[in-house]
Amino acid sequence: MNNTKRVIIHTGPGKTGSSAIQAWLVKNITHLESNSIFYPKHDLSKDKISSGNLREILTQAKNGTWQVDAEKVTSLLLKFEKTGHSTLLLSSEFFFHRIIDIQKLIPHAEFIAYVRNPVELLESNYNQSVKRHSNIKPFIAPPEVDSFLWQYLERVFKNIDSKKMHLRPFDERLMQGGNIVADMLCVLGMSLDEGFKNSRINPSFTFESLEFKRLLNHFGLGALEPKLDAALQSCDIGSREYSLISPDTFNALNNQSCEKMTSFIEHYKQPHLLPLLNIFKNVQQRFFVKQSASLSQLALISEYLLKYDSALHAKLVSLVMSHPNLMIDTPAIYELFNVQYETIDHNTLIDDLLLKHINQFTVHPSKRGKICYELACYYLQLGDLDNAIKFAKGAHYFNPKNWQFIDKLNEVIRAMNAKNKALATAELVPAKGSTMRKFKNLLKR
């Protein structure tokens, strides 16, 4: 390929405004082409969220990871050549972890990555896990800040010319044009039209909505999840400006992060990040709240949903009523929907014979819960719910604070509830033709 042409790859990473960038790019493909920029079109969800150009150069392996596909890269570069444009632009958060692999196949590619305060990312990523990934766990701050960002960027800078890396500040006070779309276009040598308004895409939940969704995740929302997500994203009841990290922990983590960032800036000569570092050093933590929503707080969200989508609200009520016996940390969700909560007695989770047998396992006592968990998974996969529930309860008996075990126990309980409901329904509905056969038999007597 002609190396005078530019290949610019926006890599996110996650929770740095990628959805807003991609929504603008897709909407303005014609405008980009008029500036000699080729941006492959991709789909957007109803909420303007996408994975960007993920599939243009990546392929999902059998283990679920996304890998750079040499054939796709070659095909895309040939397509780019035929367009006659001077710049190829790609965007996806999935590219961030594959920068080095991509650069091997496109040596002259340039990469854009936004730097957000890693301590803020802890909470933002947690919010996302509750919104989209059915997380039921309350937030727990790590003892140390994850150094992955700076360690990874160090590895990138060791393998790639620093001139090919555009590290940009994720802070509107430092962004060109005061918003992320204008800032990224600046790297392309473009500017936004006057009057552009930066819209909020994929916003975080308010605290009340977050807890409402987290508690409902226990019930296995299935097809209701995207509908509930969309409804709660539009809900402004409560506060979005909150923190789940205690002030002392927040300050300790932030100091650790700033030290790592200082070392990176000095070693790789990135002085343009110093203003961002100063902002991180002087960051004011949002209002700290303990993660426990009251019945009145949950009721506000329930009332909002009833007005927003009464059909969705009715389905949520029905779902909660169908599973009155889950292991759940805030039973107020049952009280909210007037469901009598069937508490699980820890002392009756496992029968004496099974307990005696498991205690004889020739493993460290700390491993007994894990063995029960794996057996629960195995029997659930076989459809043997009677054994699955025994071992799921056993796992919880040995490790009552393990959220993975709690999640599995609830999954098995939901399956048992569904099975029992199906059996009860079958008993009420006579088999097809049975009534007619009985009538004919009576006539023969």
Side-chain angles (χ1 to χ4, degrees), residues 142 226 244 258 386:
L244 301 174
C258 289
D386 291 334

Side-chain angles (χ1 to χ4, degrees), residues 68-124:
V68 183
D69 189 321
E71 290 185 6
K72 284 186 175 182
V73 170
T74 300
S75 175
L76 178 62
L77 293 179
L78 287 174
K79 186 176 180 180
F80 170 46
E81 282 283 349
K82 291 178 181 178
T83 66
H85 296 312
S86 61
T87 301
L88 168 63
L89 174 62
L90 300 174
S91 174
S92 177
E93 295 175 0
F94 287 82
F95 296 152
F96 183 71
H97 301 286
R98 297 288 175 264
I99 290 175
I100 296 172
D101 296 334
I102 295 172
Q103 195 269 340
K104 289 177 181 177
L105 294 174
I106 315 176
H108 62 289
E110 302 170 51
F111 299 90
I112 302 173
Y114 280 85
V115 179
R116 184 175 182 179
N117 190 328
V119 184
E120 287 184 357
L121 274 175
L122 289 174
E123 298 194 79
S124 184

Side-chain angles (χ1 to χ4, degrees), residues 189-355:
M190 293 178 58
S191 60
L192 275 175
D193 295 333
E194 290 185 10
F196 170 78
K197 292 184 179 180
N198 197 23
S199 58
R200 243 186 359 177
I201 295 175
N202 193 21
S204 295
F205 286 164
T206 65
F207 170 72
E208 290 77 2
S209 293
L210 180 78
E211 277 298 274
F212 187 87
K213 175 62 165 58
R214 182 181 71 84
L215 294 173
L216 284 178
N217 283 344
H218 288 75
F219 295 85
L221 289 164
L224 296 179
E225 184 160 49
K227 295 180 181 179
L228 181 58
D229 178 15
L232 294 180
Q233 280 198 143
S234 66
C235 177
D236 288 322
I237 294 173
S239 173
R240 296 185 193 273
E241 298 300 317
Y242 63 90
S243 175
L244 301 174
I245 306 176
S246 69
D248 288 344
T249 301
F250 182 92
N251 291 331
L253 293 175
N254 194 57
N255 289 337
Q256 291 175 24
S257 177
C258 289
E259 287 175 8
K260 295 178 186 297
M261 185 174 179
T262 299
S263 176
F264 176 85
I265 291 172
E266 292 175 353
H267 191 276
Y268 294 99
K269 297 177 174 58
Q270 299 289 305
H272 71 285
L273 292 178
L274 286 172
L276 185 64
L277 173 61
N278 289 331
I279 287 176
F280 290 172
K281 285 181 177 180
N282 296 296
V283 66
Q284 294 295 314
Q285 184 188 9
R286 289 169 293 182
F287 180 71
F288 169 62
V289 294
K290 292 185 178 180
Q291 195 172 0
S292 178
S294 65
L295 177 60
S296 59
Q297 288 174 308
L298 296 174
L300 289 174
I301 305 301
S302 178
E303 290 167 8
Y304 167 82
L305 281 175
L306 183 60
K307 294 177 182 177
Y308 180 91
D309 187 338
S310 59
L312 172 62
H313 186 271
K315 289 177 181 177
L316 293 175
V317 173
S318 177
L319 181 65
V320 173
M321 292 178 66
S322 298
H323 305 295
N325 52 344
L326 298 184
M327 184 65 67
I328 197 163
D329 58 288
T330 307
I333 194 70
Y334 283 113
E335 187 178 352
L336 176 68
F337 294 120
N338 296 316
V339 176
Q340 183 64 43
Y341 177 44
E342 300 174 14
T343 58
I344 297 176
D345 185 355
H346 184 76
N347 296 319
T348 60
L349 279 172
I350 190 168
D351 64 72
D352 292 339
L353 181 61
L354 183 57
L355 178 61

